[in-house]
Amino acid sequence: MELDVLGLLAACSYTLDCVEAELVHVSDNHSKRITYMSICTAEQLGIHGADLQDMAVCSLLHDNALNHYIKAKLNKNISYTVSTRLFPNVYTHCVIGEKNVQNLPFNSDIRNVIMYHHENTDGSGPFGKKGDEIPLFSRIIHLCDLTDKLSQTHTDKHEAYVSVCSYLKKTSGSIVDEECVTAFLKAFDEEHFSLLWDPDLDNLLWIKVPRIKQNLSFEQIKSLADFYARIIDYKSPCTSTHSIGVAKNAERLSLFMGFDKAVSEKMYLAGALHDIGKVVVNNKILEKPGRLTEDEFSVMKHHAEFTYYMLSPIKDFKEIRNWAAFHHERLDGSGYPFGLSADKLNTQERIMACADIYQALTEDRPYRHSIPHNEACDVLKEMADNGWLDPVIVKNVDLCFNSSNSHQSQNAFCR
């Protein structure tokens, strides 16, 4: 499958920023600002082409192990940030972040880039690496990460630039790499630095790094899907299990109904992404043990719309985006987020709706236990009788998943 991998991972970085903004109140676009700074700095160091794309991916995903990042309780004071010995759990955050990206489709060897992105050049970081022991990409990201955190403590752009330049010059050769400082200051005069607050930062970034589609195997697609599922899991412990369950259901049901391998692989990816919009929903609602109030349910319903808009910037992804985002639409037009009716919903979108409900019914939730296959199918049949679901697909759900007991209950707790 040809895929805009960089666009997909950029959407992932947005989800990381959403979680971070909710839990530690870091401003949004954190990852993209760091990525833009890293790319401009890397260019000054002679990094171009496919290597620059890998630099972009590493920058976007440098804090992908967000649950451990949150547990570290970042302090906005830059002195706490640079003093990594006072930065709890940074070791775990880096180790798990490194493991998470191992199977992503990179063009070059990026081993230890995420692992060592908090290392200080004098060896005072969490792993004690120094100088050239630290990958160049790590050194660039470290500098840009610190720069972004420091700049966000100022409301005036001029003051931010002066503060950043002063800090980098003072810590060059100790906290941050001297070569990277020189490259950064060459890349960013004050006018260029002010663009970090530009609402058009996305376009500026993609001008620097063209998003070239990559041809991926199904194993690589699954690796991307599983990576996304882990990111969703950082938001709420339930959602990752649910999303992968839906992905497997959608893939298997598609094959059972006679669709080819290409369609089933796309369905797997769409299933893994279908609930990515839940990162914008507060955890108090996601994990509430009782019934949601009308207002809470209204907020919850927005997650499908967020999925739609979060996946929209990805090039040539409209088909998979729709399969993912329309999983709560109903044939009679009573669903959400867009109130689409039967004539607007294709077979794959109808399959995804059934796969999602079936998975939800056969897994535990905060407010009820899972139910067995037969009872789940009874619920689906009732929904089909009400004009919500496609009765042919519901029948195929029964035939497909009844034959093998492969629908083992997932111990999940999400809506």
Side-chain angles (χ1 to χ4, degrees):
M1 181 195 307
E2 279 201 338
L3 194 62
D4 173 17
V5 175
L6 197 51
L8 182 58
L9 293 175
C12 182
S13 79
Y14 175 75
T15 71
L16 289 168
D17 280 352
C18 286
V19 180
E20 192 173 348
E22 178 186 345
L23 297 175
V24 294
H25 310 295
V26 174
S27 59
D28 59 8
N29 269 340
H30 169 68
S31 295
K32 286 183 181 175
R33 283 195 303 273
I34 290 174
T35 302
Y36 185 73
M37 286 188 282
S38 295
I39 290 302
C40 293
T41 303
E43 283 184 321
Q44 296 297 325
L45 295 169
I47 298 171
H48 300 287
D51 288 339
L52 199 65
Q53 284 199 322
D54 286 349
M55 176 82 257
V57 173
C58 290
S59 302
L60 286 167
L61 303 180
H62 71 283
D63 276 333
N64 73 80
L66 191 57
N67 57 345
H68 299 280
Y69 187 59
I70 291 166
K71 289 175 185 176
K73 297 180 181 178
L74 278 176
N75 192 305
K76 291 184 181 179
N77 186 323
I78 190 67
S79 65
Y80 281 88
T81 305
V82 300
S83 301
T84 53
R85 293 191 187 282
L86 299 178
F87 191 172
N89 293 339
V90 69
Y91 176 92
T92 305
H93 150 64
C94 295
V95 171
I96 294 186
E98 175 75 18
K99 182 179 179 181
N100 284 349
V101 302
Q102 283 180 353
N103 294 321
L104 296 185
F106 287 98
N107 300 291
S108 55
D109 184 0
I110 54 88
R111 278 177 298 179
N112 294 326
V113 170
I114 303 299
M115 179 85 79
Y116 295 147
H117 80 274
H118 277 300
E119 293 300 284
N120 296 328
T121 195
D122 63 1
S124 62
F127 295 94
K129 300 294 181 182
K130 59 183 179 181
D132 291 341
E133 294 177 318
I134 308 166
L136 178 57
F137 284 10
S138 303
R139 285 178 265 158
I140 294 172
I141 293 169
H142 183 46
L143 181 153
C144 296
D145 192 22
L146 296 179
T147 295
D148 187 61
K149 290 183 175 69
L150 179 57
S151 68
Q152 296 306 306
T153 64
H154 298 274
T155 55
D156 181 83
K157 296 176 185 178
H158 171 71
E159 289 181 4
Y161 183 70
V162 171
S163 180
V164 163
C165 290
S166 173
Y167 171 75
L168 293 180
K169 291 173 183 176
K170 183 173 68 173
T171 58
S172 178
S174 57
I175 300 299
V176 289
D177 179 80
E178 186 174 358
E179 182 185 24
C180 293
V181 170
T182 300
F184 180 89
L185 295 177
K186 187 176 180 180
F188 287 96
D189 58 17
E190 185 170 348
E191 182 179 0
H192 191 192
F193 187 78
S194 69
L195 294 180
L196 296 173
W197 285 268
D198 195 311
D200 203 31
L201 183 62
D202 261 22
N203 287 334
L204 294 174
L205 175 58
W206 303 133
I207 289 171
K208 287 281 185 183
V209 190
R211 281 155 48 185
I212 301 169
K213 290 198 292 184
Q214 295 173 245
N215 196 7
L216 303 184
S217 68
F218 187 42
E219 286 307 308
Q220 290 174 312
I221 291 168
K222 289 183 74 173
S223 293
L224 274 170
D226 293 346
F227 174 78
Y228 248 99
R230 284 193 293 273
I231 299 305
I232 302 170
D233 190 32
Y234 297 157
K235 172 66 174 176
S236 175
C238 70
T239 318
S240 171
T241 308
H242 174 74
S243 294
I244 290 300
V246 172
K248 291 177 179 178
N249 288 348
E251 179 202 10
R252 181 171 180 177
L253 187 55
S254 296
L255 289 171
F256 183 83
M257 292 179 63
F259 291 97
D260 63 23
K261 184 179 177 182
V263 169
S264 68
E265 290 176 359
K266 290 179 182 179
M267 286 292 281
Y268 185 96
L269 182 56
L273 298 173
H274 81 288
D275 268 348
I276 195 67
K278 284 185 177 176
V279 298
V280 187
V281 180
N282 192 286
N283 273 27
K284 291 180 180 179
I285 295 177
L286 286 177
E287 298 172 354
K288 183 177 178 179
R291 182 179 294 274
L292 297 181
T293 66
E294 187 174 334
D295 287 343
E296 289 169 337
F297 186 63
S298 179
V299 172
M300 172 65 78
K301 286 168 65 175
H302 285 302
H303 81 270
E305 185 177 2
F306 285 128
T307 292
Y308 181 89
Y309 288 114
M310 289 163 73
L311 299 180
S312 288
I314 303 169
K315 288 183 179 179
D316 301 321
F317 207 68
K318 179 179 178 181
E319 184 177 58
I320 295 175
R321 176 202 65 189
N322 290 353
W323 296 356
F326 295 167
H327 62 280
H328 283 298
E329 300 289 351
R330 299 292 177 255
L331 300 186
D332 66 353
S334 64
Y336 59 88
F338 302 118
L340 303 178
S341 54
D343 60 326
K344 300 292 184 181
L345 295 168
N346 64 34
T347 302
Q348 279 67 43
E349 290 150 9
R350 299 177 188 206
I351 288 174
M352 192 64 69
C354 292
D356 176 51
I357 295 168
Y358 181 82
Q359 178 65 24
L361 291 169
T362 56
E363 66 191 11
D364 289 334
R365 297 250 169 156
Y367 48 90
R368 60 153 175 78
H369 292 297
S370 63
I371 61 176
H373 169 83
N374 289 341
E375 291 180 30
C377 288
D378 286 342
V379 173
L380 291 173
K381 289 170 185 173
E382 183 178 351
M383 296 179 77
D385 290 342
N386 288 336
W388 298 346
L389 300 179
D390 188 315
V392 173
I393 296 173
V394 168
K395 183 177 181 180
N396 277 284
V397 168
D398 191 3
L399 294 172
C400 179
F401 298 115
N402 191 38
S403 60
S404 74
N405 296 327
S406 63
H407 64 282
Q408 294 294 327
S409 226
Q410 308 294 332
N411 188 23
F413 301 92
C414 55
R415 289 175 169 82

